[in-house]
Amino acid sequence: MNQVNAKRRLDIGKNRKRLNSRIQTIRFFGRQQRVVRGHRDGGRIGLEEPEKNDGNFRSLLRYRTNSGDNDLKDQLMSNGGRNMNTSSFIQNELINTFGHLIQSKIMINVRKSIFYSVLADETTDIIQIEQFSLCVRYIEDQSYKLKKIS
């Protein structure tokens, strides 16, 4: 039983390390407020530049492999299509996780604040889909700076 647990912990550590480059890539695009995916971003990621743009995420991973990230290169070249962790599903999971972390941090800051306001608005766009926007403003606890999150 101890060997099984040790093997499982080793696998978990290895998988976390493998996901790190994907997580850092998604984080980079979030910080830069850039689009992650393109129109054609399915399948295996090759090291050579494709004829057509295959999206920012895949391009940055390719750039990282060509710039010396040998761990990432080995992962992308040796794993099957299902184990590369580059699918749109994985990307969405990482983006949603970052979103939840950011929302949690905002909620902690708003709860600590003495003054805050919430503004909500809803409108219907041209194809009759309702769009909801939410804006939160609060005074930072220590510096008394006004923060606006929308």
Side-chain angles (χ1 to χ4, degrees):
M1 190 66 164
N2 247 355
Q3 287 179 335
V4 172
N5 287 337
K7 170 83 166 97
R8 186 163 189 267
R9 280 194 300 268
L10 186 66
D11 288 343
I12 289 171
K14 195 184 328 181
N15 287 337
R16 283 184 180 159
K17 185 179 177 187
R18 292 179 64 195
L19 267 176
N20 190 44
S21 59
R22 283 83 164 171
I23 291 169
Q24 294 305 320
T25 301
I26 295 290
R27 183 174 179 256
F28 171 79
F29 285 117
R31 284 192 154 290
Q32 298 300 317
Q33 298 179 6
R34 297 290 175 224
V35 176
V36 175
R37 286 194 295 277
H39 294 290
R40 295 174 186 88
D41 62 353
R44 182 172 282 287
I45 298 176
L47 297 181
E48 63 284 340
E49 289 293 325
E51 286 184 29
K52 296 185 178 180
N53 185 358
D54 61 351
N56 292 334
F57 180 74
R58 296 168 66 86
S59 293
L60 187 57
L61 287 179
R62 187 179 304 108
Y63 174 78
R64 291 177 72 163
T65 60
N66 291 333
S67 296
D69 190 341
N70 292 324
D71 288 335
L72 177 61
K73 184 177 185 178
D74 292 342
Q75 293 167 24
L76 294 179
M77 295 299 108
S78 65
N79 290 320
R82 293 187 182 266
N83 295 329
M84 289 176 27
N85 296 318
T86 58
S87 69
S88 59
F89 178 79
I90 298 291
Q91 292 174 36
N92 288 340
E93 286 291 317
L94 293 173
I95 291 167
N96 289 334
T97 300
F98 276 118
H100 291 302
L101 290 171
I102 291 168
Q103 286 176 348
S104 296
K105 181 72 173 168
I106 291 169
M107 290 306 300
I108 289 168
N109 290 339
V110 170
R111 285 186 181 130
K112 286 193 309 188
S113 176
I114 298 172
F115 303 106
Y116 68 90
S117 67
V118 178
L119 174 66
D121 191 17
E122 182 180 9
T123 187
T124 304
D125 66 11
I126 196 165
I127 56 172
Q128 302 301 313
I129 295 177
E130 293 180 357
Q131 301 290 325
F132 179 76
S133 63
L134 183 69
C135 179
V136 178
R137 296 185 338 170
Y138 63 95
I139 303 295
E140 237 181 21
D141 196 29
Q142 301 294 326
S143 65
Y144 298 108
K145 291 183 181 177
L146 177 65
K147 295 289 187 172
K148 179 181 170 188
I149 312 295
S150 49

